Amino acid sequence: MPELRQNLATREWVIIASERARRPNAYVEERTTPLHTELPHYDAACPFCPGNEELDLEVTRHPLSGPWQTRVVRNKYPALAREGQLLRSFDGVQRQITGVGYHEVLVEHPQHNTSMALMAESDVCAVFDTFRERGLAVSRDPRIEQIVYFKNHGVRAGASLQHPHSQVIALPIVPGEIRHRMEEARRFFDDTGECVFCRMLHDELALGERVVAANEHFVAFVLYAASSPFHAWILPHRHFSSFRVIGDEEISSLAAIVRDVLRRIFYGLNDPAYNLVVRTSPVKEGDSVYFHAYMAVIPRLSRHAGFELGSGVSINPTIPEACAAFLREVAIP
Amino acid sequence: MPELRQNLATREWVIIASERARRPNAYVEERTTPLHTELPHYDAACPFCPGNEELDLEVTRHPLSGPWQTRVVRNKYPALAREGQLLRSFDGVQRQITGVGYHEVLVEHPQHNTSMALMAESDVCAVFDTFRERGLAVSRDPRIEQIVYFKNHGVRAGASLQHPHSQVIALPIVPGEIRHRMEEARRFFDDTGECVFCRMLHDELALGERVVAANEHFVAFVLYAASSPFHAWILPHRHFSSFRVIGDEEISSLAAIVRDVLRRIFYGLNDPAYNLVVRTSPVKEGDSVYFHAYMAVIPRLSRHAGFELGSGVSINPTIPEACAAFLREVAIP
């Protein structure tokens, strides 16, 4: 019998389609493109490789002198413009705001053919350090309401360049979806006096069957109501609502667990495409007792079709507990 | 300067990314798969071709005797089970409902290598007639809360079989996204005394620049806040909230306009993948003054990546007015 499962925090339903269920190992990628490791170490045509830097786009680099470890550049084809006034124009059906904001690319590593799964832990740590730094910087701009930190890995996940990179987009609005999630979290808090994410973390640790990895500051688990195969959340033990207030030790711990989960995905599923997303509270909300910052890992192994577009409900053809067990058991070299 | 545009009805924001804007004709498909018309007329291995019918799965056919025009079959790998009790189990993080409901496939035409764009108007009319009939039938089941009618055309839109078909999924829950949209529509009604969709229809007809086609009962327009290239809505002039109460004349008019829009997409963009979705009010809501049934047409020409997954905001790299003009000007043989 299929099941409809509800995510306790977002209240979104998914169908766990047991009648069409596929075993997790059915998702091991049959690659048509080379593995990242098979690419050249350096690509003369890559704008992110050392020596090819487009310096007019550079925002910052670490370290500031000598060979860089991470760089932040303005996106060459930005979705939003840095300069300009925030102007609203609401005229009947035509409601618009000028597209001001930030669209930055974080070059994660000098080497062309690596990825977060293959880097040293300290390299992943440097990436998240730079995330936090850019978040703090753009949040000072009074036009900014929401920061979205994300990574697209692989063509199916929307990556157009192979050199390892992440992105930061800072918006002059709070998206409706984020407002809805804040509202659901607030209602849970009003009903129970608890943060719903703290509750999920507690329950998942106690149950154990969906946990993929855990360390001092973080827990990674496949969601009970995973909307797609291997869909996982990485939650901090400490309650905080904005990614900008993450501590140094927590960043190290986050780098370790993200790298661990991505290595399990890389070796277990043969380097599939995935997205990484940081969920954080709106910039002007201040610290919230009912919302909890976290990171989502979303391998792109299934496709959203008409049903998902028409209902917002996903059909997941795998059993989340089996996906978690599969990832736990991956043999990592 | 990019623009953030808000859909008046759903309140969802999209980024119209003018800095990376591509002209509509950049989306003419470079096909790697054969056009539907290049497929065989009949495929001995296709379960939907006449002669290959799996009769144990059949729900209904039209006409009942002689060669059929449309058939409805149970999905062989259903997302939901027809039989079974609706049982809820809420236990901490584990909230579930038994996956009871309907998952039916509507075979649109006996011919293997046709599509809605290429069928006669009366054939498309027969498809929507059958939609309504199945909607009426499954809505009598007290377990059902929401009906989702949809079509996946092409691999990128999630179609796994080439024979022209649509699907109906009837759910034992109202999805959160549909609740949110009902709520936004109710708020607009409370503020203005108007249905927000009636208002959009009125404004779009008055402005004209995004209208693709119009006939006696329907208007098709590219959305002001289109979330992807050529994303269009088809709205009935008459206010009604449930697809099940659509009239016979309206069904003919809907078939004509959907076929017209799909022909413009087929010939103008070289038969890209697309989804078709009917938006209708929850089964037990009764007729609502503030919600309005409609159909969405979503060509699958861009990809949702980490930013969309992390914010619910889409980046549309085309100008909706230019997409509408492109579709209006397509030369249809």
Side-chain angles (χ1 to χ4, degrees):
Chain A
M1 168 74 83
E3 280 176 29
L4 280 147
R5 293 184 176 191
Q6 188 178 39
N7 182 309
L8 187 68
T10 66
R11 303 281 161 141
E12 281 170 7
W13 290 97
V14 302
I15 299 177
I16 305 295
S18 55
E19 309 281 311
R20 41 165 75 179
R22 297 177 68 188
R23 295 227 307 269
N25 61 17
Y27 287 91
V28 177
E29 283 282 277
E30 289 175 26
R31 298 197 65 84
T32 52
T33 53
L35 273 175
H36 244 64
T37 43
E38 293 158 14
L39 295 172
H41 192 272
Y42 166 83
D43 179 349
C46 171
F48 297 160
C49 276
N52 308 337
E53 295 93 347
E54 296 170 279
L55 292 177
D56 56 319
L57 295 175
E58 186 162 299
V59 175
T60 186
R61 61 165 68 190
H62 296 286
L64 286 168
S65 63
W68 53 266
Q69 166 68 28
T70 62
R71 280 177 80 227
V72 178
V73 297
R74 284 183 282 127
N75 192 306
K76 201 167 183 178
Y77 305 100
L80 297 167
R82 285 166 88 88
E83 309 294 334
Q85 243 190 303
L86 182 60
L87 298 170
R88 269 169 204 268
S89 145
F90 275 26
D91 179 16
V93 74
Q94 303 191 144
R95 299 188 158 207
Q96 59 144 303
I97 300 185
T98 45
V100 296
Y102 296 84
H103 188 176
E104 298 182 344
V105 178
L106 195 165
V107 186
E108 296 168 358
H109 197 281
Q111 191 180 321
H112 187 73
N113 65 343
T114 188
S115 79
M116 275 200 192
L118 304 174
M119 292 177 196
E121 210 173 287
S122 58
D123 294 342
V124 181
C125 195
V127 173
F128 296 148
D129 254 334
T130 310
F131 264 175
R132 180 179 55 178
E133 178 196 318
R134 291 311 303 154
L136 285 165
V138 301
S139 70
R140 285 184 208 111
D141 184 328
R143 300 170 306 173
I144 297 307
E145 300 285 343
Q146 182 70 47
I147 304 173
V148 185
Y149 312 83
F150 64 100
K151 174 174 175 64
N152 304 333
H153 174 85
V155 172
R156 281 191 70 174
S160 51
L161 291 169
Q162 291 168 316
H163 196 114
H165 66 286
S166 299
Q167 297 180 66
V168 177
I169 291 184
L171 292 161
I173 51 122
V174 179
E177 185 185 286
I178 290 172
R179 286 274 187 233
H180 289 312
R181 290 182 174 211
M182 297 292 289
E183 174 63 13
E184 293 297 353
R186 191 192 57 69
R187 289 177 62 163
F188 189 92
F189 183 87
D190 285 349
D191 285 354
T192 64
E194 277 183 292
C195 160
V196 67
F197 299 91
C198 289
R199 172 67 172 277
M200 282 176 89
L201 184 148
H202 175 269
D203 281 13
E204 290 298 349
L205 272 176
L207 291 163
E209 58 180 342
R210 284 177 294 273
V211 173
V212 176
N215 64 18
E216 196 188 343
H217 294 288
F218 286 87
V219 182
F221 55 89
V222 173
L223 285 166
Y224 170 72
S227 62
S228 53
F230 307 96
H231 178 200
W233 281 6
I234 299 175
L235 249 66
H237 281 291
R238 179 169 72 92
H239 178 91
F240 58 92
S241 63
S242 165
F243 183 74
R244 300 195 308 282
V245 306
I246 189 171
D248 290 341
E249 266 189 43
E250 284 164 333
I251 286 212
S252 300
S253 202
L254 178 64
I257 201 166
V258 168
R259 179 171 175 271
D260 181 26
V261 171
L262 292 180
R263 285 171 86 77
R264 290 172 190 282
I265 289 170
F266 183 94
Y267 291 109
L269 298 166
N270 202 14
D271 193 19
Y274 65 83
N275 296 108
L276 214 62
V277 166
V278 174
R279 290 276 186 179
T280 179
S281 55
V283 170
K284 291 167 188 166
E285 285 277 326
D287 201 35
S288 152
V289 289
Y290 54 86
F291 191 75
H292 197 116
Y294 64 93
M295 198 176 267
V297 185
I298 308 150
R300 297 294 292 270
L301 298 161
S302 60
R303 226 179 262 279
H304 275 197
F307 175 67
E308 286 82 357
L309 292 174
S311 66
V313 175
S314 298
I315 299 178
N316 181 351
T318 57
I319 311 293
E321 294 72 31
C323 287
F326 176 90
L327 290 180
R328 277 197 304 269
E329 286 156 22
V330 170
I332 298 182
Chain B
M1 168 74 81
E3 280 176 29
L4 279 147
R5 293 185 175 189
Q6 188 177 39
N7 183 310
L8 187 68
T10 66
R11 303 280 162 141
E12 281 170 7
W13 290 96
V14 301
I15 298 177
I16 305 295
S18 55
E19 310 281 310
R20 42 164 75 177
R22 297 177 67 188
R23 295 226 308 267
N25 60 18
Y27 286 92
V28 177
E29 283 281 278
E30 288 174 27
R31 298 197 65 84
T32 52
T33 53
L35 271 176
H36 244 64
T37 43
E38 293 158 14
L39 296 172
H41 191 272
Y42 165 83
D43 179 347
C46 171
F48 298 160
C49 275
N52 307 338
E53 294 92 347
E54 295 171 276
L55 292 177
D56 56 319
L57 295 175
E58 185 162 298
V59 175
T60 187
R61 60 166 69 191
H62 296 286
L64 286 168
S65 64
W68 53 267
Q69 166 67 29
T70 62
R71 280 177 82 229
V72 178
V73 296
R74 285 183 283 129
N75 192 307
K76 201 168 182 176
Y77 305 100
L80 297 168
R82 285 166 87 89
E83 309 296 334
Q85 244 190 305
L86 183 61
L87 297 171
R88 269 169 204 268
S89 145
F90 275 25
D91 179 17
V93 74
Q94 303 192 144
R95 300 188 157 207
Q96 59 144 304
I97 299 185
T98 45
V100 296
Y102 296 84
H103 188 175
E104 297 182 345
V105 178
L106 196 164
V107 186
E108 296 168 358
H109 197 281
Q111 192 181 321
H112 187 74
N113 65 343
T114 187
S115 79
M116 275 200 194
L118 303 173
M119 292 177 197
E121 210 173 288
S122 58
D123 294 342
V124 182
C125 195
V127 173
F128 296 148
D129 254 333
T130 310
F131 264 176
R132 179 179 57 178
E133 179 196 317
R134 291 312 303 154
L136 285 165
V138 301
S139 70
R140 284 184 210 112
D141 184 328
R143 299 171 306 174
I144 298 307
E145 300 286 343
Q146 182 70 47
I147 304 172
V148 184
Y149 312 83
F150 64 99
K151 177 175 173 62
N152 303 334
H153 174 85
V155 173
R156 279 192 70 173
S160 51
L161 291 169
Q162 291 168 317
H163 196 114
H165 67 285
S166 299
Q167 298 180 66
V168 177
I169 290 185
L171 293 162
I173 50 120
V174 179
E177 184 185 289
I178 290 173
R179 287 275 186 232
H180 289 312
R181 290 182 174 212
M182 297 292 289
E183 174 64 13
E184 293 297 354
R186 190 191 58 68
R187 289 177 63 161
F188 189 92
F189 183 86
D190 285 349
D191 285 354
T192 64
E194 278 183 291
C195 160
V196 65
F197 300 91
C198 288
R199 172 67 172 278
M200 281 176 90
L201 185 148
H202 175 269
D203 280 13
E204 290 297 348
L205 273 176
L207 292 162
E209 59 181 340
R210 284 177 294 272
V211 173
V212 175
N215 65 16
E216 196 187 342
H217 294 288
F218 285 86
V219 182
F221 55 90
V222 173
L223 285 167
Y224 170 71
S227 61
S228 54
F230 307 97
H231 178 200
W233 280 7
I234 300 176
L235 251 65
H237 282 289
R238 179 169 74 92
H239 178 91
F240 58 92
S241 62
S242 166
F243 184 73
R244 302 195 307 281
V245 305
I246 189 171
D248 290 341
E249 265 190 42
E250 283 164 332
I251 285 214
S252 301
S253 201
L254 178 63
I257 200 166
V258 169
R259 179 172 175 269
D260 181 26
V261 171
L262 293 179
R263 285 171 85 76
R264 289 174 190 281
I265 289 171
F266 183 94
Y267 291 109
L269 298 167
N270 202 16
D271 192 20
Y274 65 83
N275 295 108
L276 214 63
V277 166
V278 175
R279 289 277 186 178
T280 179
S281 56
V283 169
K284 290 167 187 166
E285 284 276 326
D287 202 34
S288 152
V289 290
Y290 54 85
F291 190 77
H292 197 116
Y294 64 92
M295 197 176 268
V297 185
I298 308 150
R300 297 294 291 270
L301 299 161
S302 59
R303 225 179 265 277
H304 275 197
F307 174 67
E308 286 83 357
L309 293 174
S311 66
V313 174
S314 298
I315 299 177
N316 181 351
T318 57
I319 310 293
E321 295 72 30
C323 288
F326 177 90
L327 290 180
R328 278 196 304 270
E329 285 155 23
V330 169
I332 297 181

